[in-house]
Amino acid sequence: MSTALRPRVVVVMRPPAAGRSLAAFLVEHGYDALAVHGTEDAVNALARPTAALICEVSATGIDGLAVLEEGLVRARLCAIMLARAETRARAVEALQRGAWDFQYEPLDRDRLLASLQQGIEHQRLAQRVAEMEHQLDRQFGVRALAGNSRAIQRVREVVRRAAGVRVAVMLEGEPGTGKSMVARALHQASPRRERRLERVRCGTMSEALLEVELFGSTRGTRGTPGALERADGGTLFLDEIDRLPRALQIRFMRFLTLGRFERVGDTQERRADVRIVCASDVPLDDLVARERFHVDLDAFLTVIRIEVPPLRERLEDLPALVEELVRAANAEHKRRVPGVTAGALDRLAQYPWPGNVRELRSVIDGMVATARGREPLGLDSLPDPLRAESAPTARLEMAVGMTLAAAERRLIEATLAHTQGDKPRAAAMLGMGLRTLYRRLDDWGLR
């Protein structure tokens, strides 16, 4: 393997002979290793792109914490600190500051090599994820808040006022309305923008996996940090919070109350400074009333509420949204579609958009991806359900004297049958909020 392709490792040890010996060992195992012997030399060596740092945490002429801090400021690298029994406390502090691992001297070189390989791979994956997130933001970070409707102006104003405070924010609205984009806007407008925004989807994993994802675990050489630790100093976005299991509700409330938590399988208390943003497709008040959500946790999480409106209530924003989506899709598919025709835009405005902005994004993305040439997207570019002039209307007969409650239930059941169980579409056809529909179905035991 050429030197250019070998991961670069800076070794900082005393005495110099020990550092040179370890560097030679690493070279034999495929690394480009450089041994230096003091804090200043180490800082200078880290000026070049470096994959890993192996550094004594404290030795004559070596301030390991200062070297670590310099390394982490300059690059995303794997740092392994070398400690003795008397310097264990500083090694633990190094872990808290971002080191990957620490090893006791005298070294077990095979164990060190294994930790180095794992750490460098972890950093590569983390870098890849960061690049993918940046790419997705560039391509699909469509401003769901685009437009000038009164509804979206209210959302923007609350985001502006709430961004700089630490209290929790609850985002409510139908699926696909852009709650995750509002969460990102809150983070980007806040003083925490330089730190991480961690998103946890509470409804996509088992209770055991969700507990590890939130709080971390003791598995692995250094354990596995959870979202609370990864988001330290930044924002934790709990999506689908209404699906957080009851046991985890109580555990999370303890963190919010005390500011402390333990990883799964651990007794060591840890702290994390995070700003909490949550999202729910259904009102937590309803879940609290049915004892499905802890009333105290609801109070913690709903200091500020932001209602994200469905697309059908802000159709005047459609031109601005379409413009943003066409621009994003052009970048993704390397096209130069100039926009959509007035006729196509009118037809888009006639559709109820049960899937909200998410559905609109999917439609525009498909239209741009399959576009021919550089002509505006017309009616013939629309998917079949939108291109059709009108859909056949089902009829429903009701008896005179039927109670309003019975009529409402019959109408809702018939509409759901017509939409084949598609609740967002049924709610749009009925002109009612999705949360109201869910509440009715819960009342009847039909959800």
Side-chain angles (χ1 to χ4, degrees), residues 154-215:
R154 284 196 298 270
V155 172
R156 285 201 297 262
E157 175 60 22
V158 179
V159 166
R160 186 188 65 79
R161 288 189 278 110
V165 297
R166 191 180 184 278
V167 297
V169 176
M170 174 62 66
L171 308 176
E172 296 181 339
E174 297 176 9
T177 49
K179 295 188 290 295
S180 62
M181 294 297 170
V182 177
R184 186 172 294 278
L186 279 164
H187 176 72
Q188 292 296 335
S190 78
R192 298 168 177 262
R193 68 179 67 88
E194 299 301 326
R195 305 303 291 270
R196 292 180 65 91
L197 168 65
E198 283 286 331
R199 179 187 184 188
V200 176
R201 298 186 64 183
C202 301
T204 60
M205 60 189 82
S206 69
E207 181 173 339
L209 288 176
L210 180 56
E211 185 177 26
V212 171
E213 174 62 15
L214 280 172
F215 300 102

Side-chain angles (χ1 to χ4, degrees), residues 1 17 55 105 111 153 403 406 418:
M1 182 186 297
C55 181
E105 298 181 88
R111 186 168 180 267
Q153 285 184 38
T403 65
H418 177 72

Side-chain angles (χ1 to χ4, degrees), residues 302-371:
T302 55
V303 179
I304 297 176
R305 293 178 186 262
I306 299 179
E307 181 75 27
V308 185
L311 183 53
R312 65 180 177 276
E313 293 180 6
R314 47 178 296 220
L315 287 177
E316 62 195 272
D317 295 332
L318 197 65
L321 285 168
V322 169
E323 181 180 352
E324 292 287 343
L325 288 161
V326 169
R327 183 181 297 118
N330 275 332
E332 164 66 7
H333 303 295
K334 296 180 174 56
R335 300 299 180 110
R336 296 185 180 180
V337 174
V340 301
T341 65
L345 193 60
D346 286 344
R347 188 60 54 82
L348 291 173
Q350 295 168 17
Y351 185 66
W353 298 109
N356 293 296
V357 176
R358 183 186 301 149
E359 184 180 9
L360 176 63
R361 178 191 305 169
S362 178
V363 167
I364 297 299
D365 191 58
M367 291 169 66
V368 171
T370 57

Side-chain angles (χ1 to χ4, degrees), residues 113-285:
L113 191 63
S115 181
L116 181 64
Q117 291 170 339
Q118 292 172 1
I120 289 177
E121 182 60 23
H122 174 83
Q123 295 297 347
R124 283 175 175 166
L125 290 174
Q127 181 65 30
R128 190 177 306 164
V129 168
E131 290 171 355
M132 289 174 62
E133 288 178 346
H134 175 75
Q135 188 75 356
L136 287 171
D137 276 352
R138 185 179 67 82
Q139 295 174 352
F140 295 109
V142 178
R143 293 185 297 174
L145 306 187
N148 291 301
S149 66
R150 292 182 63 183
I152 210 63
Q153 285 184 38
R154 284 196 298 270
V155 172
R156 285 201 297 262
E157 175 60 22
V158 179
V159 166
R160 186 188 65 79
R161 288 189 278 110
V165 297
R166 191 180 184 278
V167 297
V169 176
M170 174 62 66
L171 308 176
E172 296 181 339
E174 297 176 9
T177 49
K179 295 188 290 295
S180 62
M181 294 297 170
V182 177
R184 186 172 294 278
L186 279 164
H187 176 72
Q188 292 296 335
S190 78
R192 298 168 177 262
R193 68 179 67 88
E194 299 301 326
R195 305 303 291 270
R196 292 180 65 91
L197 168 65
E198 283 286 331
R199 179 187 184 188
V200 176
R201 298 186 64 183
C202 301
T204 60
M205 60 189 82
S206 69
E207 181 173 339
L209 288 176
L210 180 56
E211 185 177 26
V212 171
E213 174 62 15
L214 280 172
F215 300 102
S217 78
T218 57
R219 291 179 297 186
T221 305
R222 297 178 57 243
T224 303
L228 280 172
E229 291 175 76
R230 299 194 302 267
D232 188 25
T235 303
L236 177 61
F237 174 39
L238 298 176
D239 203 357
E240 301 173 328
I241 187 68
D242 51 294
R243 299 179 66 179
L244 185 68
R246 184 77 175 187
L248 295 186
Q249 292 177 29
I250 295 172
R251 185 170 181 187
F252 193 69
M253 186 173 64
R254 178 179 178 273
F255 163 71
L256 293 176
T257 305
L258 304 177
R260 300 191 298 270
F261 67 98
E262 303 87 28
R263 289 180 178 177
V264 176
D266 198 3
T267 57
Q268 177 188 347
E269 286 193 332
R270 301 170 186 271
R271 293 181 177 273
D273 171 26
V274 296
R275 200 278 177 84
I276 305 295
V277 178
C278 300
S280 175
D281 294 339
V282 298
L284 291 188
D285 294 346

Side-chain angles (χ1 to χ4, degrees), residues 11 35 67 73 107 163 215 252 265 267 289 294 298 318 364 425 435:
V11 178
V67 175
V73 166
L107 290 175
F215 300 102
F252 193 69
T267 57
H294 201 289
D298 176 51
L318 197 65
I364 297 299
R425 186 179 170 208
R435 293 178 299 161

